[in-house]
């Protein structure tokens, strides 16, 4: 089964040698230890209103609820957590700001639709963003052309509203302009099928939330925004949608800056590794060794 972890996994000892970690409890313990070693670095990345203790609890809870994440390397859990910290989005909570999702042996962070909306509003150019799912018994119409608008009256009777036929996102800009993006269920399911996590993670547990997030992401790509964190969040989502391996490149730079600051301006140069992921892992290991 997709969410069934194997009997053991491999992690790294302090001396750099490989160690086999057996059983779910032992794997969770190894992940907690990696998070603890990186906690000071992660704390610097967090916005002031979120504490590192809270973030570690949230991540640990999310991992414990998702067996497939226990099969991911502890280092990738930390790297995905670092991305969530840098964006200021808590993964795996009821708010739907973001999710930790397994990709083979590595964890990746993907933003939720509320997370994208939050970052867009923080840009200062967007007043608000909303997203809705449309059902076949709803009253729904779209006008394109020179007078663009959406009319949506949900079906409120006690009977079932029917199947999902699509979803849309609407944003009001600071200047009062309203922009929207509508996607049919065929378009939404097409994106789902291209995801490596189509039958696992939030696509399985929070399908309609993922429909809404997909429309918000499509809308955000067309908005005149220059918010760096939103751009990074959109990139993480695009990587996940394309079914590609996690890209921790943004974390390499951030972890490097944090490590340099922590050593009072000393240089912490990345090892000449062949991949950006390995370089990011090196940053974390270097930082842990300085604590």
């Amino acid at each position: 089964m997709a969410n069934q972890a194997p009997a053991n996994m491999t992690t790294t000892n302090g001396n750099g040698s490989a160690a086999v970690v057996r059983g779910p409890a032992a794997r969770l313990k190894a992940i907690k230890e990696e998070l603890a070693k990186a906690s000071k670095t992660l704390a610097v990345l967090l916005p002031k209103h979120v504490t590192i203790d809270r973030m570690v609890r949230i991540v640990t809870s999310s991992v414990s609820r998702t067996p497939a994440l226990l099969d991911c390397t502890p280092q990738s859990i930390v790297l995905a957590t670092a991305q969530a910290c840098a964006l200021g989005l808590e993964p795996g909570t009821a708010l739907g700001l973001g999710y930790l999702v397994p990709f083979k042996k590595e964890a990746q962070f993907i933003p939720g639709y509320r997370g994208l909306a939050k970052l867009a509003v923080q840009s200062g150019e967007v007043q608000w963003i909303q997203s809705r799912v449309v059902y076949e018994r709803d009253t729904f119409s779209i006008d394109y052309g020179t007078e663009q608008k959406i009319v949506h009256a949900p079906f409120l009777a006690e009977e079932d509203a029917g199947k999902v036929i699509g979803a849309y996102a609407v944003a009001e800009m600071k200047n009062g302009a309203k922009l929207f993006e509508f996607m049919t269920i065929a378009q939404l399911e097409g994106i789902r099928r291209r995801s490596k996590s189509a039958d696992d993670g939030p696509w399985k547990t929070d399908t309609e939330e993922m429909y809404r997030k997909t429309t918000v992401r499509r809308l955000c790509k067309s908005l005149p925004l220059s918010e760096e964190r939103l751009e990074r969040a959109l990139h993480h989502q695009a990587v996940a949608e394309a079914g590609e391996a996690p890209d921790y490149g943004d974390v390499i730079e951030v972890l490097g800056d944090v490590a340099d600051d922590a050593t009072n301006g000393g240089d912490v140069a990345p090892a000449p590794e062949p991949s950006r992921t390995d370089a990011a892992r090196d940053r974390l290991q270097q930082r842990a060794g300085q604590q």
Side-chain angles (χ1 to χ4, degrees):
M1 296 177 62
N3 65 348
Q4 189 173 26
N8 55 69
M9 68 179 289
T10 301
T11 186
T12 304
N13 287 323
N15 60 8
S17 61
V20 176
V21 181
R22 303 179 185 278
R27 294 197 296 274
L28 183 59
K29 180 181 178 183
I31 290 169
K32 288 180 178 179
E33 290 174 349
E34 288 291 330
L35 288 168
K37 286 192 295 184
S39 61
K40 290 184 180 179
T41 298
L42 296 176
V44 177
L45 302 177
L46 282 169
K48 293 181 179 179
H49 67 278
V50 181
T51 67
I52 186 57
D53 290 341
R54 173 177 170 80
M55 180 61 80
V56 169
R57 285 197 305 270
I58 289 172
V59 170
T60 302
S61 176
S62 181
V63 170
S64 65
R65 293 194 310 268
T66 311
L69 283 173
L70 289 172
D71 190 30
C72 296
T73 65
Q75 294 87 353
S76 75
I77 296 287
V78 173
L79 290 168
T81 301
Q83 290 180 324
C85 290
L87 293 174
L89 302 178
E90 298 175 349
T93 70
L95 294 177
L97 297 177
Y99 304 89
L100 293 179
V101 177
F103 180 89
K104 298 180 180 178
K105 299 292 185 180
E106 293 190 329
Q108 62 183 155
F109 174 78
I110 59 173
Y113 94 87
R114 289 185 178 90
L116 292 177
K118 177 181 178 180
L119 294 175
V121 170
Q122 288 177 349
S123 72
E125 297 298 322
V126 178
Q127 298 279 25
W128 51 261
I129 290 184
Q130 295 180 350
S131 180
R132 296 282 186 266
V133 173
V134 184
Y135 301 89
E136 58 184 348
R137 300 183 73 178
D138 291 350
T139 299
F140 183 76
S141 66
I142 300 178
D143 289 342
Y144 289 123
T146 58
E147 298 291 335
Q148 300 188 50
K149 68 175 182 178
I150 286 180
V151 175
H152 183 200
F155 181 76
L156 299 177
E158 293 184 359
E159 305 95 273
D160 189 275
K163 297 179 180 178
V164 174
I165 63 171
Y168 65 93
V170 182
E172 180 175 345
M173 306 301 292
K174 190 175 181 179
N175 62 7
K178 291 184 175 66
L179 304 173
F180 67 83
E181 188 74 40
F182 173 77
M183 298 180 69
T184 66
I185 188 63
Q187 291 173 311
L188 295 167
E189 283 296 312
I191 289 175
R192 177 180 183 170
R193 285 192 298 272
R194 290 196 293 273
S195 171
K196 294 295 184 180
S197 302
D199 299 314
D200 201 0
W203 272 117
K204 181 177 181 180
T205 61
D206 301 280
T207 305
E208 291 189 6
E209 292 291 293
M210 292 297 285
Y211 289 158
R212 297 169 78 176
K213 189 273 300 290
T214 302
T215 63
V216 170
R217 175 181 174 265
R218 181 75 62 91
L219 175 62
C220 284
K221 288 172 63 178
S222 65
L223 298 179
L225 303 177
S226 59
E227 175 26 69
E228 181 183 352
R229 290 187 302 167
L230 178 60
E231 292 177 0
R232 293 203 307 266
L234 292 172
H235 172 69
H236 297 328
Q237 179 57 36
V239 168
E241 282 186 6
E244 299 174 358
D247 179 6
Y248 305 116
D250 60 325
V251 184
I252 295 175
E253 298 177 4
V254 175
L255 290 177
D257 291 341
V258 171
D260 290 346
D261 291 343
T263 54
N264 297 317
D267 294 328
V268 183
E273 297 292 338
S275 76
R276 290 160 70 84
T277 296
D278 288 341
R281 289 197 186 103
D282 284 349
R283 287 290 196 189
L284 282 173
Q285 290 168 358
Q286 290 169 3
R287 181 69 187 94
Q290 296 162 4
Q291 296 173 6

